[in-house]
Amino acid sequence: MFEAHFHTFPEQPAFSDFSPPSLTRRLRSHRHQCPVHAWAAHGKRKDEAGIAQPHWFVYIEYCRHDGAREWVLIERPCSTDLDELFAAAQWRELPRIDPAGTRAWLDKDD
């Protein structure tokens, strides 16, 4: 079981689309040679003893050939440097990715 937390900031209303720039990034997939959208969430994962341990959940979002969006998750203890997780995301295998479709999707949001 996991529990993710999205932190809001005093100047932002709760449940807004706001995410600190350090937790949301556009990365370059070195494996697929295209940009991807990635974001991180801080949460908890219970260990074998049932004790909740802080974890990072990093989601890598991209487009498939049918136009649907898909994501892959990287999960690590919070002792792992977040920049290292984003760096690892650039080499992650992304099943059914459409590099051209992903590029077009991300370029239209610029």
Side-chain angles (χ1 to χ4, degrees), residues 15-89:
F15 307 113
S16 73
D17 289 337
F18 177 80
S19 181
S22 61
L23 296 181
T24 302
R25 300 182 189 181
R26 180 169 305 184
L27 304 174
R28 174 127 181 105
S29 170
H30 298 304
R31 185 178 292 251
H32 300 287
Q33 298 300 307
C34 68
V36 294
H37 179 70
W39 72 95
H42 184 257
K44 298 176 186 172
R45 171 75 70 184
K46 289 187 178 180
D47 63 15
E48 297 80 29
I51 300 169
Q53 302 293 327
H55 268 63
W56 282 117
F57 298 88
V58 175
Y59 298 87
I60 309 157
E61 189 175 8
Y62 57 94
C63 288
R64 298 187 318 212
H65 289 284
D66 64 3
R69 288 193 221 159
E70 190 161 334
W71 54 266
V72 170
L73 172 66
I74 298 175
E75 176 187 336
R76 298 287 185 277
C78 280
S79 58
T80 306
D81 182 67
L82 189 55
D83 287 330
E84 288 178 26
L85 288 176
F86 279 119

